[in-house]
Amino acid sequence: MNPYRFRFPSSRKLGFTLVELLVSTAVLAVLLLVTLSALETMQRSWRDTKGKVNQFRGARIAFETITRNLSQATLNTYWDYHYAATGSNVPPADAASPPAGYVRQSELDFRILPGVELGTGETPADLPGQALFFQAPLGLSQSYRGLGNLLNARGYYVRFQSNEDQRPAFLPGGVVPVKFRYQLMEYRPPAEQTSLTAGTAAAGGSASSKTVQGNTVYTRADWFKQDIDAVSRPIADNVLLLVISPQVPPETVEGTGKSPWWLAPGYRYSSRDANNTTPALDKPVVRADGTLDQGTSHLLPPLVRVTLVAGEEGSMGRWLASQGNTAVDICAAADAPFAESRHYERDLTRLKDYLTAERLNFRVFTATVPLRNAAWDSTTY
């Protein structure tokens, strides 16, 4: 044999062993599991975030509607005589009696009152929190377009009721199930419906053929109850509470000993009241020096803090079902009466604790709205 004969390399094939294949498959499976787990976590987080946003979308839109319309509230005040004998600008029978002086006057009204005062025989459970009513140039008309400065009344309050009357009439029964919910109601009579029979507004008054036409309807004490059921519509479901607090800028009360909510210590406010510390409508007072003290009469509050508490549909449905689909006085149950403005933070904390204990998914919307037509100055504060 020739020792120098050329030899080819071995033809043995190279490859992975079964053990190597199993190890690589296991590593790849672990990597895929980690990737899928991370992707699932991201998807779940996105779905939860999107769900939370959609849960309170209606309440958020309604809240923005309230704050936008409220900022346009007006009283359109003017100066007129004030007669001490009649407590108004109406001259007394004795024509020789001179007026006590000039005061602000307005036929319009800005009103905040307990919601329960809107109903007849209804309880705070059915009409929780406060109700807000005002006039603004919102241009709502049934017959005309392009009249954006038409004066309209607007109001907001919460009512517990079923959706039975709100379901489309053309759908057969059972398609839209009956459910009971707290709803945020918007009172919005068109400009053409600002008149009422003269005898219907006065307590105990009898019907009369005489009508009060146009914006003079706002001079009546209960103008905001006119056709309230007919011209109110729900703008958001699952709104548990509406709290309205008139205030002044904090810097204006520094060193005065007053609080920003001194305007309405009990949340109640009427632009026809000289002193909103009591439910009674106080008239201007003639001071000892002969000048007039009109207080807050015919003035819009400079600021209004609006708080809206909204629940999520799923948890609200379960909670109300456990209550037999009946109204719950949540303020009493939470020991959060919202009766004194100075206890606002305490009452809100108690309400949150109560809703959390009831396992309700909720959200609180709060904003302080400046009223552009509030004609206050340093002497008024």
Side-chain angles (χ1 to χ4, degrees):
M1 178 180 291
N2 185 357
Y4 301 103
R5 183 179 177 183
F6 177 78
R7 293 182 178 180
F8 289 97
S10 175
S11 60
R12 176 174 171 267
K13 294 183 179 179
L14 301 177
F16 295 105
T17 65
L18 179 59
V19 173
E20 291 173 332
L21 287 173
L22 291 174
V23 170
S24 61
T25 302
V27 171
L28 180 60
V30 171
L31 291 176
L32 287 175
L33 286 175
V34 171
T35 303
L36 290 174
S37 177
L39 182 60
E40 175 63 22
T41 301
M42 292 177 61
Q43 288 179 335
R44 188 185 306 113
S45 176
W46 181 82
R47 286 195 301 267
D48 291 345
T49 302
K50 182 180 178 181
K52 290 179 180 179
V53 170
N54 290 335
Q55 285 169 3
F56 302 104
R57 183 173 180 269
R60 186 188 311 108
I61 293 174
F63 183 74
E64 292 172 355
T65 299
I66 294 176
T67 55
R68 181 178 62 251
N69 291 339
L70 175 59
S71 67
Q72 302 179 63
T74 184
L75 289 178
N76 195 23
T77 57
Y78 58 93
W79 293 94
D80 199 355
Y81 286 132
H82 177 79
Y83 294 92
T86 61
S88 67
N89 60 343
V90 178
D94 183 8
S97 299
Y102 285 100
V103 293
R104 293 180 303 272
Q105 295 285 353
S106 175
E107 279 71 47
L108 306 183
D109 188 15
F110 184 91
R111 190 72 64 95
I112 299 170
L113 69 159
V116 68
E117 295 185 9
L118 298 178
T120 304
E122 292 175 287
T123 67
D126 300 303
L127 293 162
Q130 283 87 44
L132 167 68
F133 295 92
F134 56 91
Q135 289 87 37
L138 300 174
L140 177 62
S141 171
Q142 289 181 327
S143 306
Y144 304 98
R145 295 182 180 180
L147 301 178
N149 292 325
L150 277 178
L151 190 68
N152 291 113
R154 198 57 54 95
Y156 299 95
Y157 59 97
V158 175
R159 182 188 292 275
F160 180 82
Q161 59 188 0
S162 74
N163 67 338
E164 190 169 0
D165 295 335
Q166 302 162 16
R167 298 180 300 172
F170 60 85
L171 290 178
V175 174
V176 179
V178 176
K179 64 179 182 180
F180 292 83
R181 292 293 185 271
Y182 289 92
Q183 295 183 318
L184 178 64
M185 308 297 293
E186 183 180 54
Y187 173 73
R188 44 177 296 160
E192 294 87 347
Q193 293 186 3
T194 54
S195 63
L196 77 166
T197 303
T200 59
S206 58
S208 170
S209 59
K210 181 180 178 182
T211 57
V212 180
Q213 296 291 340
N215 293 334
T216 55
V217 69
Y218 300 135
T219 63
R220 307 190 75 88
D222 58 353
W223 61 267
F224 48 86
K225 294 184 180 181
Q226 178 198 353
D227 298 331
I228 187 168
D229 292 330
V231 296
S232 293
R233 61 166 188 166
I235 58 174
D237 285 348
N238 302 313
V239 174
L240 292 164
L241 192 67
L242 183 64
V243 181
I244 311 293
S245 177
Q247 298 185 356
V248 298
E251 60 271 14
T252 64
V253 295
E254 291 182 0
T256 64
K258 293 183 177 181
S259 62
W261 53 83
W262 67 264
L263 283 176
Y267 293 102
R268 183 188 295 270
Y269 188 92
S270 172
S271 60
R272 295 172 184 166
D273 195 354
N275 183 358
N276 285 282
T277 58
T278 64
L281 294 182
D282 303 304
K283 298 179 180 180
V285 177
V286 181
R287 300 187 183 96
D289 60 0
T291 59
L292 282 169
D293 180 9
Q294 193 175 3
T296 60
S297 179
H298 299 301
L299 280 175
L300 291 171
L303 303 173
V304 178
R305 182 174 59 194
V306 181
T307 302
L308 186 150
V309 182
E312 177 264 332
E313 171 65 24
S315 60
M316 284 292 299
R318 291 189 295 271
W319 179 64
L320 288 173
S322 68
Q323 303 294 332
N325 285 322
T326 58
V328 178
D329 189 348
I330 59 173
C331 291
D335 191 21
F338 287 98
E340 298 181 50
S341 300
R342 62 192 179 100
H343 293 317
Y344 167 82
E345 295 294 344
R346 181 205 68 182
D347 291 343
L348 186 59
T349 299
R350 290 180 178 179
L351 180 62
K352 290 179 179 179
D353 292 342
Y354 169 76
L355 297 178
T356 302
E358 293 293 317
R359 298 185 177 181
L360 285 173
N361 185 11
F362 67 94
R363 184 172 177 181
V364 178
F365 299 86
T366 302
T368 300
V369 183
L371 303 192
R372 65 186 70 168
N373 293 312
W376 287 55
D377 56 28
S378 58
T379 59
T380 311
Y381 291 114

